[in-house]
Structures are given as C-alpha cells and as structure tokens.
Amino acid sequence: LVSPSLTATEKNQGLAPRVIEDFAARSLLNRLATPQDVAKAVAFLSSDQSAFITGMDLPVAGGMVMS
C-alpha cells in the first residue's frame, strides 16, 4: 500500500495557492510529492528489493506529519 500526500498533478492545479503552500510547508522537503515520487515507491514495492516487506503502508509524504 502506497499513501502519497498531496501530489503535484494537473488535477490539483486549480487549488488555491494558499492550500498548496500549506501542504508544502508541512513537508520536511517543503514541496508537494511528484508523480515520479509515487511511481518510484510503487516500483520499489514491486521489485525484488522489497521481497521481505509485507503488509506495510509506505507513506510518500516528504516527512509530512498529518494531524
């Protein structure tokens, strides 16, 4: 299971700039996730490198803490 935070996509371009800035500010990386960030997490979990990982939720959130 991959759980991305708000991701920079065309669909989210219509959000108010304040919303985007707020989400980015809550990330330790100070940015939104990119589709490539999410794809790399999925690729890792689909690879042999994650063969011994089971039943986990992988947050792709740049260190964002949801409260």
Side-chain angles (χ1 to χ4, degrees):
L1 177 64
V2 174
S3 297
S5 62
L6 185 63
T7 303
T9 64
E10 285 184 27
K11 185 175 183 178
N12 293 329
Q13 287 179 349
L15 293 174
R18 172 89 173 131
V19 172
I20 301 292
E21 292 166 6
D22 181 53
F23 268 88
R26 294 190 328 188
S27 165
L28 293 177
L29 299 178
N30 292 313
R31 65 176 180 84
L32 300 183
T34 66
Q36 293 81 6
D37 293 326
V38 179
K40 288 176 184 179
V42 171
F44 168 70
L45 289 177
S46 301
S47 74
D48 288 339
Q49 292 176 327
S50 68
F52 208 68
I53 298 173
T54 61
M56 298 302 300
D57 179 5
L58 180 61
V60 179
M64 181 182 293
V65 177
M66 303 299 284
S67 57

Coordinates of all heavy atoms in Angstrom, one line a residue:
L1 N 0.9 -1.2 0.0 CA 0.0 0.0 0.0 C 0.9 1.2 0.0 O 1.8 1.3 0.8 CB -0.9 0.0 1.2 CG -1.8 1.2 1.4 CD1 -2.8 1.3 0.3 CD2 -2.5 1.0 2.8
V2 N 0.7 2.1 -0.9 CA 1.4 3.4 -1.0 C 0.4 4.5 -0.7 O -0.6 4.6 -1.3 CB 2.0 3.6 -2.4 CG1 2.7 4.9 -2.5 CG2 3.1 2.5 -2.7
S3 N 0.8 5.4 0.2 CA -0.1 6.5 0.6 C 0.6 7.8 0.4 O 1.3 8.3 1.2 CB -0.5 6.4 2.1 OG -1.2 5.2 2.3
P4 N 0.4 8.4 -0.8 CA 1.0 9.7 -1.1 C 0.3 10.9 -0.4 O -0.9 10.8 -0.2 CB 1.0 9.8 -2.6 CG -0.2 9.0 -3.0 CD -0.3 7.9 -1.9
S5 N 1.0 11.9 -0.1 CA 0.4 13.1 0.4 C -0.1 13.9 -0.9 O 0.0 13.3 -2.0 CB 1.4 14.0 1.1 OG 2.5 14.4 0.3
L6 N -0.5 15.1 -0.7 CA -1.0 15.9 -1.9 C 0.1 15.8 -3.0 O 1.3 16.1 -2.7 CB -1.3 17.3 -1.5 CG -1.9 18.2 -2.6 CD1 -3.3 17.6 -3.0 CD2 -2.1 19.6 -2.1
T7 N -0.3 15.5 -4.2 CA 0.7 15.3 -5.3 C 0.5 16.4 -6.3 O -0.7 16.7 -6.7 CB 0.5 13.9 -5.9 OG1 0.7 12.9 -4.8 CG2 1.6 13.6 -6.9
A8 N 1.6 16.9 -6.8 CA 1.5 18.0 -7.8 C 1.1 17.3 -9.2 O 1.9 16.7 -9.8 CB 2.9 18.6 -8.0
T9 N -0.2 17.5 -9.5 CA -0.7 17.0 -10.8 C -1.6 18.1 -11.4 O -1.9 19.1 -10.8 CB -1.6 15.7 -10.5 OG1 -2.7 16.1 -9.7 CG2 -0.8 14.6 -9.8
E10 N -2.0 17.8 -12.7 CA -2.8 18.8 -13.3 C -4.2 19.0 -12.6 O -4.7 20.1 -12.5 CB -3.1 18.3 -14.8 CG -2.0 18.5 -15.7 CD -2.3 18.1 -17.1 OE1 -3.5 18.2 -17.5 OE2 -1.4 17.7 -17.9
K11 N -4.7 17.9 -12.0 CA -5.9 17.9 -11.3 C -5.9 18.9 -10.1 O -6.9 19.5 -9.8 CB -6.3 16.5 -10.8 CG -7.7 16.5 -10.2 CD -8.1 15.1 -9.9 CE -9.4 15.0 -9.3 NZ -9.9 13.6 -9.0
N12 N -4.7 19.0 -9.5 CA -4.6 19.9 -8.3 C -4.2 21.3 -8.6 O -4.1 22.1 -7.7 CB -3.6 19.3 -7.3 CG -4.1 18.0 -6.8 OD1 -5.3 17.8 -6.6 ND2 -3.2 17.1 -6.5
Q13 N -4.0 21.6 -9.9 CA -3.5 23.0 -10.3 C -4.6 24.0 -10.0 O -4.3 25.2 -9.8 CB -3.2 23.1 -11.7 CG -1.8 22.4 -12.0 CD -1.5 22.5 -13.5 OE1 -2.3 22.8 -14.4 NE2 -0.2 22.1 -13.8
G14 N -5.9 23.6 -9.9 CA -7.0 24.5 -9.6 C -7.1 24.8 -8.1 O -7.9 25.7 -7.8
L15 N -6.3 24.2 -7.3 CA -6.4 24.5 -5.8 C -5.9 25.9 -5.6 O -5.0 26.4 -6.3 CB -5.6 23.5 -5.0 CG -6.2 22.1 -5.0 CD1 -5.2 21.2 -4.3 CD2 -7.5 22.0 -4.3
A16 N -6.4 26.5 -4.5 CA -5.9 27.9 -4.2 C -4.5 27.8 -3.8 O -4.0 26.8 -3.2 CB -6.7 28.4 -3.0
P17 N -3.7 28.8 -4.2 CA -2.2 28.8 -3.9 C -2.0 28.6 -2.4 O -1.0 28.0 -2.0 CB -1.8 30.1 -4.4 CG -2.7 30.5 -5.4 CD -4.0 29.9 -5.0
R18 N -2.8 29.1 -1.6 CA -2.7 29.0 -0.1 C -2.7 27.5 0.3 O -2.0 27.1 1.2 CB -3.8 29.8 0.6 CG -3.9 29.6 2.1 CD -3.0 30.6 2.8 NE -3.2 30.5 4.2 CZ -2.2 30.4 5.1 NH1 -1.0 30.5 4.7 NH2 -2.5 30.3 6.3
V19 N -3.6 26.8 -0.3 CA -3.7 25.3 0.0 C -2.4 24.6 -0.3 O -1.9 23.8 0.5 CB -4.9 24.7 -0.7 CG1 -4.9 23.2 -0.5 CG2 -6.2 25.3 -0.2
I20 N -1.9 24.9 -1.5 CA -0.6 24.3 -2.0 C 0.5 24.7 -1.0 O 1.3 23.8 -0.6 CB -0.3 24.7 -3.4 CG1 -1.4 24.3 -4.4 CG2 1.0 24.2 -3.9 CD1 -1.6 22.8 -4.6
E21 N 0.6 25.9 -0.7 CA 1.7 26.4 0.2 C 1.6 25.8 1.5 O 2.6 25.4 2.1 CB 1.6 27.9 0.3 CG 2.0 28.7 -1.0 CD 1.6 30.1 -1.0 OE1 1.1 30.6 0.1 OE2 1.7 30.8 -2.0
D22 N 0.4 25.6 2.1 CA 0.2 25.0 3.4 C 0.6 23.5 3.4 O 1.4 23.1 4.3 CB -1.3 25.1 3.8 CG -1.5 24.5 5.2 OD1 -0.8 24.9 6.1 OD2 -2.4 23.6 5.3
F23 N 0.3 22.8 2.4 CA 0.7 21.4 2.3 C 2.2 21.3 2.1 O 2.9 20.5 2.8 CB 0.0 20.7 1.1 CG -1.2 20.0 1.5 CD1 -2.5 20.7 1.5 CD2 -1.2 18.7 1.9 CE1 -3.6 20.0 1.9 CE2 -2.4 18.0 2.3 CZ -3.6 18.7 2.3
A24 N 2.8 22.2 1.3 CA 4.2 22.1 1.1 C 5.0 22.5 2.4 O 6.0 21.9 2.7 CB 4.6 23.1 0.0
A25 N 4.5 23.5 3.1 CA 5.1 23.9 4.4 C 5.1 22.8 5.4 O 6.0 22.8 6.3 CB 4.4 25.2 4.9
R26 N 4.1 21.9 5.4 CA 4.0 20.8 6.4 C 5.0 19.7 6.0 O 5.1 18.7 6.8 CB 2.6 20.4 6.5 CG 1.7 21.5 7.1 CD 0.4 21.0 7.5 NE -0.2 20.0 6.7 CZ -1.5 19.6 6.8 NH1 -2.3 20.1 7.7 NH2 -2.0 18.6 6.1
S27 N 5.6 19.7 4.9 CA 6.5 18.7 4.5 C 7.9 19.1 4.9 O 8.3 20.2 4.7 CB 6.4 18.5 3.0 OG 7.6 17.7 2.5
L28 N 8.7 18.1 5.4 CA 10.1 18.4 5.7 C 10.9 18.9 4.4 O 11.9 19.5 4.5 CB 10.8 17.2 6.3 CG 10.3 16.9 7.7 CD1 11.0 15.6 8.2 CD2 10.5 18.0 8.7
L29 N 10.4 18.4 3.3 CA 11.1 18.8 2.0 C 10.6 20.1 1.4 O 11.0 20.5 0.4 CB 11.0 17.7 1.0 CG 11.6 16.3 1.4 CD1 11.4 15.3 0.4 CD2 13.1 16.5 1.7
N30 N 9.5 20.7 2.0 CA 8.9 21.9 1.6 C 8.4 21.9 0.2 O 8.6 22.9 -0.6 CB 9.9 23.1 1.8 CG 10.1 23.4 3.3 OD1 9.2 23.4 4.1 ND2 11.4 23.5 3.7
R31 N 7.9 20.8 -0.2 CA 7.3 20.7 -1.6 C 6.2 19.6 -1.6 O 6.1 18.8 -0.6 CB 8.3 20.4 -2.6 CG 9.0 19.0 -2.5 CD 10.0 18.8 -3.6 NE 10.6 17.5 -3.5 CZ 10.2 16.4 -4.0 NH1 8.9 16.3 -4.5 NH2 10.9 15.2 -3.9
L32 N 5.4 19.6 -2.6 CA 4.4 18.5 -2.8 C 5.1 17.3 -3.4 O 6.2 17.4 -4.0 CB 3.3 18.9 -3.8 CG 2.5 20.2 -3.4 CD1 1.4 20.4 -4.5 CD2 1.9 20.0 -2.0
A33 N 4.5 16.2 -3.2 CA 5.0 14.9 -3.9 C 4.8 15.1 -5.4 O 4.0 15.9 -5.8 CB 4.2 13.7 -3.4
T34 N 5.7 14.5 -6.2 CA 5.5 14.5 -7.6 C 5.0 13.1 -8.0 O 5.2 12.1 -7.3 CB 6.8 14.7 -8.3 OG1 7.7 13.7 -8.1 CG2 7.5 16.1 -7.9
P35 N 4.4 13.0 -9.2 CA 4.0 11.7 -9.7 C 5.2 10.7 -9.7 O 5.1 9.5 -9.5 CB 3.4 11.9 -11.1 CG 2.9 13.3 -11.0 CD 3.9 14.0 -10.1
Q36 N 6.4 11.2 -10.0 CA 7.6 10.4 -10.1 C 8.0 9.9 -8.7 O 8.4 8.7 -8.6 CB 8.8 11.2 -10.7 CG 8.6 11.6 -12.1 CD 7.8 12.8 -12.3 OE1 7.3 13.5 -11.4 NE2 7.5 13.1 -13.6
D37 N 7.8 10.7 -7.6 CA 8.0 10.2 -6.3 C 7.1 9.0 -6.0 O 7.6 8.0 -5.4 CB 7.7 11.3 -5.2 CG 8.6 12.5 -5.3 OD1 9.8 12.3 -5.6 OD2 8.1 13.6 -5.0
V38 N 5.9 9.1 -6.3 CA 4.9 8.0 -6.1 C 5.3 6.8 -6.9 O 5.3 5.6 -6.4 CB 3.5 8.5 -6.3 CG1 2.5 7.3 -6.1 CG2 3.1 9.7 -5.4
A39 N 5.6 7.0 -8.2 CA 5.9 5.9 -9.1 C 7.2 5.1 -8.6 O 7.2 3.9 -8.7 CB 6.1 6.4 -10.5
K40 N 8.1 5.9 -8.1 CA 9.4 5.2 -7.6 C 9.0 4.3 -6.4 O 9.6 3.3 -6.2 CB 10.4 6.2 -7.2 CG 11.0 6.9 -8.5 CD 12.0 8.0 -8.1 CE 12.6 8.6 -9.3 NZ 13.5 9.7 -9.0
A41 N 8.1 4.8 -5.5 CA 7.7 4.0 -4.3 C 7.0 2.7 -4.8 O 7.3 1.6 -4.3 CB 6.9 4.8 -3.4
V42 N 6.2 2.8 -5.8 CA 5.4 1.7 -6.3 C 6.4 0.7 -7.0 O 6.4 -0.5 -6.8 CB 4.3 2.1 -7.3 CG1 3.7 0.9 -8.0 CG2 3.2 2.9 -6.6
A43 N 7.4 1.3 -7.8 CA 8.4 0.4 -8.4 C 9.2 -0.3 -7.4 O 9.5 -1.5 -7.6 CB 9.3 1.3 -9.3
F44 N 9.6 0.3 -6.3 CA 10.4 -0.3 -5.3 C 9.6 -1.5 -4.7 O 10.1 -2.6 -4.5 CB 10.7 0.6 -4.2 CG 11.3 0.0 -2.9 CD1 12.5 -0.7 -2.9 CD2 10.5 -0.1 -1.8 CE1 13.0 -1.3 -1.8 CE2 11.0 -0.7 -0.6 CZ 12.2 -1.3 -0.6
L45 N 8.3 -1.2 -4.3 CA 7.5 -2.3 -3.7 C 7.2 -3.4 -4.7 O 6.9 -4.5 -4.3 CB 6.2 -1.7 -3.1 CG 6.3 -0.8 -1.9 CD1 5.0 -0.3 -1.5 CD2 6.9 -1.6 -0.8
S46 N 7.3 -3.1 -6.0 CA 7.1 -4.2 -7.0 C 8.3 -4.9 -7.3 O 8.3 -5.9 -8.1 CB 6.5 -3.5 -8.3 OG 5.3 -2.8 -8.0
S47 N 9.4 -4.5 -6.8 CA 10.7 -5.1 -7.1 C 11.1 -6.2 -6.2 O 10.6 -6.3 -5.1 CB 11.8 -4.0 -7.2 OG 12.2 -3.6 -5.9
D48 N 12.2 -6.9 -6.5 CA 12.7 -8.0 -5.7 C 13.4 -7.3 -4.4 O 13.5 -8.0 -3.4 CB 13.8 -8.8 -6.4 CG 13.1 -9.7 -7.4 OD1 11.9 -10.0 -7.3 OD2 13.8 -10.2 -8.4
Q49 N 13.7 -6.1 -4.5 CA 14.4 -5.4 -3.3 C 13.4 -5.3 -2.1 O 13.9 -5.2 -1.0 CB 14.8 -4.0 -3.7 CG 16.0 -4.0 -4.7 CD 16.3 -2.6 -5.1 OE1 15.5 -1.7 -5.2 NE2 17.6 -2.4 -5.4
S50 N 12.1 -5.4 -2.4 CA 11.2 -5.4 -1.3 C 10.5 -6.7 -1.0 O 9.5 -6.8 -0.4 CB 10.1 -4.4 -1.6 OG 9.3 -4.9 -2.7
A51 N 11.2 -7.8 -1.4 CA 10.6 -9.1 -1.3 C 10.3 -9.5 0.1 O 9.4 -10.4 0.3 CB 11.6 -10.2 -1.9
F52 N 10.9 -9.0 1.1 CA 10.6 -9.4 2.5 C 9.7 -8.4 3.2 O 9.5 -8.5 4.4 CB 11.9 -9.6 3.3 CG 11.8 -10.6 4.4 CD1 11.6 -12.0 4.1 CD2 11.9 -10.2 5.7 CE1 11.5 -12.9 5.1 CE2 11.8 -11.1 6.7 CZ 11.6 -12.5 6.4
I53 N 9.2 -7.4 2.5 CA 8.3 -6.4 3.1 C 6.9 -6.9 2.8 O 6.5 -7.0 1.7 CB 8.6 -5.0 2.5 CG1 10.0 -4.6 2.8 CG2 7.6 -4.0 3.0 CD1 10.4 -3.3 2.1
T54 N 6.1 -7.0 3.9 CA 4.7 -7.5 3.7 C 3.8 -6.7 4.6 O 4.2 -6.3 5.7 CB 4.6 -9.0 4.0 OG1 4.9 -9.2 5.4 CG2 5.4 -9.8 3.2
G55 N 2.6 -6.4 4.1 CA 1.6 -5.8 5.0 C 1.9 -4.4 5.5 O 1.4 -4.0 6.5
M56 N 2.7 -3.6 4.7 CA 3.1 -2.3 5.2 C 2.4 -1.2 4.4 O 2.1 -1.4 3.2 CB 4.6 -2.1 5.1 CG 5.4 -3.1 6.0 SD 5.0 -3.0 7.8 CE 5.4 -1.3 8.1
D57 N 2.2 -0.1 5.0 CA 1.8 1.1 4.3 C 3.0 2.1 4.1 O 3.6 2.5 5.2 CB 0.7 1.8 5.1 CG 0.1 3.1 4.5 OD1 0.5 3.4 3.3 OD2 -0.7 3.7 5.1
L58 N 3.4 2.4 2.9 CA 4.5 3.2 2.7 C 4.0 4.7 2.4 O 3.5 5.0 1.3 CB 5.3 2.7 1.5 CG 6.6 3.5 1.1 CD1 7.6 3.6 2.3 CD2 7.2 2.9 -0.1
P59 N 4.2 5.6 3.4 CA 3.8 7.0 3.1 C 4.8 7.6 2.2 O 6.0 7.5 2.4 CB 3.8 7.6 4.5 CG 4.3 6.6 5.5 CD 4.6 5.4 4.7
V60 N 4.3 8.3 1.2 CA 5.2 9.1 0.3 C 4.8 10.5 0.5 O 3.9 11.1 -0.1 CB 5.0 8.7 -1.2 CG1 5.8 9.5 -2.1 CG2 5.3 7.2 -1.4
A61 N 5.3 11.1 1.6 CA 4.8 12.3 2.1 C 5.9 13.3 2.4 O 5.7 14.4 3.0 CB 4.0 12.1 3.3
G62 N 7.2 13.1 2.1 CA 8.2 14.0 2.3 C 8.4 14.4 3.8 O 8.9 15.5 4.1
G63 N 8.1 13.5 4.7 CA 8.2 13.8 6.1 C 7.0 14.5 6.7 O 7.0 14.9 7.8
M64 N 5.9 14.6 5.9 CA 4.7 15.3 6.4 C 4.1 14.5 7.5 O 3.9 13.3 7.4 CB 3.7 15.6 5.3 CG 2.5 16.3 5.7 SD 1.3 16.5 4.4 CE 2.2 17.6 3.3
V65 N 3.7 15.2 8.6 CA 3.0 14.6 9.7 C 1.6 15.1 9.6 O 1.3 16.3 9.7 CB 3.7 14.9 11.0 CG1 2.9 14.3 12.2 CG2 5.1 14.5 11.0
M66 N 0.7 14.1 9.4 CA -0.7 14.5 9.4 C -1.3 14.6 10.8 O -1.0 13.7 11.6 CB -1.5 13.5 8.6 CG -1.0 13.3 7.2 SD -1.1 14.8 6.2 CE -2.8 14.9 5.8
S67 N -2.0 15.6 11.1 CA -2.6 15.7 12.5 C -4.1 16.0 12.4 O -4.6 16.3 11.4 CB -1.9 16.8 13.2 OG -2.0 18.1 12.6

